[in-house]
Amino acid sequence: MESEEKGYTEDGTVDLKGNPILRSKRGGWTACSFIVVYEVFERMAYYGISSNLFIYLTKKLQQGTVKSANNVTNWVGTIWMTPVLGAYIADAVLGRYWTFLIASAIYLSGMSLLTLSVSVDPLRPAPCSDLTAANCKKATPLQLAVFFGALYTLALGTGGTKPNISTIGADQFDEFDPKEKAHKLSFFNWWMFSIFFGTLFANTVLVYIQDNVGWTLGYGLPTVGLALSIAIFLAGTPFYRHKLPTGSPFTKMAKVVVAALRKWSVPDPVDPKELYELDLEEYAKKGKYRIDSTPTLRFLNKACLKTGSTSPWMLCSVTQVEETKQMLRMIPILIATFVPSTMIAQIGTLFVKQGTTLNRNVGNFKIPPASLAGFVTISMLISVVLYDRFFMKILRRWTKNPRGISLLQRMGIGLFFHIVIMVVASLTERHRLNVARANGLVENGNQVPLSIFILLPQFVLMGTADAFLEVAKIEFFYDQAPESMKSLGTSYSMVSLGAGNFISTFLLSTVSKITRGEGHEGWIRNNLNASHLDYYYAFLAILNFLNFLLFLLVVRAYVYKAEVSDSMRTLREELVASRQKLTNEEAATN
């Protein structure tokens, strides 16, 4: 109550020295402006590399379709998996701010080395004018080592920036202040807006520069942009709210599981109040809230049973057990997002390969095949704005939900879109192959007399799907994670994308290998006119449908966690009541 009267934040945020802060002095949209600007430039840097990486591997390093696609998805998968390590370091050791700064320095060094690898003659592959690439000189082991070494250095850096920058942004809004909590509901939508604004620049301007001006400038500009974005983030330091590291979430969860297993045979108490829990004062002092025991994953409640030992590996508080349950309950939802993440991986690989086979001329301008990804961005930006400004307001009147519909319902709509996307992609590819056959272009692999814009529907639909699934996914995993594990919760959405890319590598390699048997050359070949990419897309559509059924199943079993603000209000009321009771007892004694 005292912090509320003086205007201090109630969510445990402090300055870099660990001192309590006034809500009016730090955080809010002022602090977020520096963070959002960073994200715009950082997305320009990342997508400036990833969007056109498939083209660089096929055209400059002379790699085949399947190998290039797998190299892209393996790298992108690593990019999205390393945030688990970054989240661990932030939550357990350094805190989000310092983890982010160190990781951003690693990120910038990787970008700088990558720029050198496409600029300096001993490091970049020899130029080749042969369109068939039959007589082109292969890249040397040194060139490959430097190029891929730079890519994976960059991936290591993003592991520390990705899970922490969005969480730092969300930390600028006090969960326990009704006004700031309302702002937080829109934060994730506008966060995604900033991401895709930077992506749009990369997919249009940077991709065009790389294809038509040169890779040195095409990689150099995002490197400079990244350096500038880090400087902007540092400039906003006096305005940030920070949360202190609260220990490794993995260790906390491991203690709960081990304690429950060690007390497997101990009978459950009749009254849940007999379970071990800390005093209310302990949570109030740390700006945390207590969580009551729930019947879900009841086996883990054994970790709270009092057997005489006070070892943290034998006895855990109810709140610690419930925090572990919250993270575990989200895992089935996480698994159900792997397949749509696999579809997203096609944007920078097979979708781009399709674009190289089509007529890309618009007057005297030649469209870079990777730039069609810009339509994903445009579609997503429009969809987010329409959802936030119109769709959500209309639904609020019917559902009385502040978000319009629940986060899982929003994700479900996105999952359904992915089924439609792959059906459309399969039909479009079948049409392209029919035209290639009609014009005798199957064997020579020459350009098909169709506009590249026939691919537009699958790109536009992908952006609409992102507006539902990707935004809701980020918000869901952040919102449902316990306060002490927010960075780990945020990393769940990134693990989804990482797993999706690795699954894409597995599926593409496996399907390519299986379909090459018995005299057939496979569904996916270097010559796309002689391939059966339409079959592969149809296979992915079926996979999406089965995954959608899985999602519906796991959603039925999911239980949302209690609202934080309600829990904190209850905590304050209980504290007041307990203090009043103590005062009355002392008065009666005297």
Side-chain angles (χ1 to χ4, degrees):
M1 293 295 289
E2 183 180 349
S3 65
E4 194 172 6
E5 292 170 0
K6 292 185 178 181
Y8 289 107
T9 56
E10 298 178 69
D11 57 354
T13 50
V14 295
D15 62 17
L16 278 176
K17 295 181 180 179
N19 300 317
I21 56 176
L22 290 170
R23 186 180 292 112
S24 60
K25 298 294 184 182
R26 289 173 178 258
W29 287 111
T30 301
C32 279
S33 63
F34 293 93
I35 298 168
V36 169
V37 168
Y38 164 83
E39 189 65 10
V40 171
F41 279 98
E42 191 277 334
R43 293 294 83 187
M44 289 181 188
Y46 169 68
Y47 283 102
I49 304 301
S50 63
S51 297
N52 221 18
L53 182 58
F54 181 84
I55 296 297
Y56 188 86
L57 295 178
T58 54
K59 301 296 184 183
K60 297 297 181 180
L61 298 186
Q62 316 303 332
Q63 294 184 347
T65 299
V66 173
K67 186 175 183 179
S68 294
N70 287 345
N71 275 330
V72 171
T73 51
N74 285 338
W75 176 69
V76 174
T78 304
I79 284 276
W80 292 112
M81 282 296 194
T82 50
V84 176
L85 175 63
Y88 169 80
I89 294 172
D91 284 339
V93 186
L94 297 177
R96 294 161 190 163
Y97 179 84
W98 293 112
T99 302
F100 170 81
L101 279 188
I102 294 170
S104 63
I106 298 172
Y107 191 164
L108 182 59
S109 66
M111 287 289 296
S112 301
L113 182 59
L114 192 66
T115 303
L116 287 175
S117 73
V118 300
S119 307
V120 181
D121 279 330
L123 301 179
R124 66 179 177 183
C128 180
S129 57
D130 185 357
L131 296 178
T132 64
N135 300 313
C136 292
K137 187 178 179 181
K138 297 285 186 181
T140 66
L142 173 64
Q143 291 166 347
L144 292 173
V146 172
F147 183 80
F148 284 102
L151 283 178
Y152 282 92
T153 299
L154 188 159
L156 180 63
T158 56
T161 59
K162 281 182 183 296
N164 291 303
I165 187 62
S166 60
T167 313
I168 290 171
D171 287 345
Q172 306 313 307
F173 300 99
D174 190 345
E175 185 75 21
F176 308 124
D177 179 81
K179 185 178 179 181
E180 290 199 11
K181 184 175 181 180
H183 290 160
K184 196 173 190 176
L185 291 178
S186 291
F187 168 73
F188 284 102
N189 277 338
W190 291 106
W191 179 255
M192 291 299 293
F193 188 94
S194 70
I195 288 176
F196 281 89
F197 183 82
T199 305
L200 180 61
F201 181 86
N203 287 334
T204 52
V205 178
L206 290 180
V207 165
Y208 178 81
I209 290 172
Q210 290 164 2
D211 278 12
N212 296 280
V213 179
W215 292 92
T216 299
L217 184 62
Y219 280 5
L221 284 176
T223 302
V224 173
L226 180 64
L228 179 61
S229 70
I230 295 171
I232 291 171
F233 176 84
L234 285 170
T237 299
F239 302 100
Y240 299 147
R241 300 172 185 174
H242 304 277
K243 286 192 176 179
L244 297 173
T246 55
S248 165
F250 296 110
T251 303
K252 290 179 183 177
M253 295 169 66
K255 287 177 180 177
V256 170
V257 174
V258 170
L261 289 172
R262 293 174 74 177
K263 289 181 279 189
W264 175 279
S265 59
V266 179
D268 295 333
V270 177
D271 188 354
K273 292 183 179 179
E274 296 179 25
L275 298 173
Y276 173 70
E277 181 57 291
L278 299 176
D279 294 332
L280 288 168
E281 295 283 355
E282 291 293 323
Y283 293 108
K285 284 189 294 186
K286 297 178 181 179
K288 295 182 179 181
Y289 59 95
R290 190 171 71 178
I291 309 174
D292 293 332
S293 181
T294 62
T296 59
L297 299 174
R298 187 173 298 175
F299 161 74
L300 294 177
N301 289 344
K302 290 183 179 290
C304 309
L305 297 176
K306 302 172 186 176
T307 57
S309 174
T310 58
S311 166
W313 293 92
M314 274 293 289
L315 185 63
C316 303
S317 68
V318 170
T319 295
Q320 184 178 346
V321 170
E322 290 305 315
E323 287 176 339
T324 301
K325 287 182 182 180
Q326 286 171 13
M327 297 306 298
L328 295 179
R329 278 200 300 261
M330 291 191 291
I331 290 178
I333 303 293
L334 170 64
I335 292 172
T337 65
F338 287 171
V339 170
S341 294
T342 302
M343 304 310 109
I344 294 173
Q346 311 313 309
I347 297 173
T349 53
L350 297 181
F351 283 12
V352 173
K353 180 66 175 180
Q354 283 178 285
T356 62
T357 68
L358 298 166
N359 179 15
R360 296 182 279 127
N361 294 314
V362 179
N364 294 324
F365 181 77
K366 195 168 187 177
I367 300 172
S371 68
L372 278 192
F375 287 99
V376 176
T377 307
I378 294 170
S379 173
M380 192 271 179
L381 292 176
I382 294 172
S383 298
V384 164
V385 173
L386 290 176
Y387 183 88
D388 193 45
R389 294 303 180 189
F390 300 102
F391 187 61
M392 190 164 68
K393 290 182 179 179
I394 294 171
L395 286 176
R396 276 177 188 161
R397 299 171 186 171
W398 295 343
T399 64
K400 308 303 179 185
N401 187 322
R403 294 185 173 94
I405 54 177
S406 73
L407 293 173
L408 290 177
Q409 287 171 333
R410 186 171 177 177
M411 290 170 67
I413 294 172
L415 287 169
F416 180 77
F417 266 109
H418 277 286
I419 301 173
V420 177
I421 290 165
M422 298 319 299
V423 170
V424 169
S426 179
L427 294 175
T428 301
E429 176 62 11
R430 177 168 294 186
H431 174 59
R432 192 194 68 81
L433 289 174
N434 287 337
V435 174
R437 293 189 191 99
N439 287 271
L441 303 173
V442 173
E443 296 302 324
N444 57 33
N446 288 342
Q447 186 181 90
V448 178
L450 285 172
S451 171
I452 193 173
F453 289 114
I454 67 164
L455 301 178
L456 202 55
Q458 63 202 58
F459 282 93
V460 171
L461 286 171
M462 191 70 78
T464 305
D466 283 350
F468 284 93
L469 178 58
E470 296 307 306
V471 175
K473 188 168 68 176
I474 291 174
E475 188 173 355
F476 173 81
F477 289 129
Y478 177 87
D479 180 77
Q480 294 296 293
E483 286 299 305
S484 62
M485 301 181 185
K486 289 297 187 186
S487 291
L488 180 59
T490 303
S491 72
Y492 268 28
S493 61
M494 300 172 192
V495 167
S496 167
L497 291 168
N501 275 274
F502 286 125
I503 291 171
S504 178
T505 298
F506 170 77
L507 290 177
L508 188 62
S509 299
T510 303
V511 170
S512 177
K513 182 178 181 180
I514 291 174
T515 57
R516 277 202 305 264
E518 297 181 3
H520 300 288
E521 295 195 43
W523 286 0
I524 302 102
R525 301 163 59 181
N526 292 341
N527 176 6
L528 217 57
N529 292 350
S531 302
H532 268 296
L533 198 57
D534 55 334
Y535 293 174
Y536 185 64
Y537 285 163
F539 163 70
L540 294 181
I542 295 170
L543 194 61
N544 271 289
F545 176 73
L546 295 175
N547 184 72
F548 183 70
L549 297 180
L550 171 66
F551 178 77
L552 294 178
L553 184 65
V554 299
V555 163
R556 287 175 61 87
Y558 186 78
V559 179
Y560 281 93
K561 77 167 188 176
E563 282 291 322
V564 172
S565 55
D566 294 339
S567 301
M568 197 64 183
R569 190 180 301 111
T570 302
L571 172 58
R572 283 202 293 265
E573 290 171 356
E574 290 177 355
L575 272 173
V576 171
S578 63
R579 287 170 180 168
Q580 185 64 43
K581 182 179 179 181
L582 183 61
T583 302
N584 293 340
E585 289 175 352
E586 289 175 350
T589 303
N590 295 331

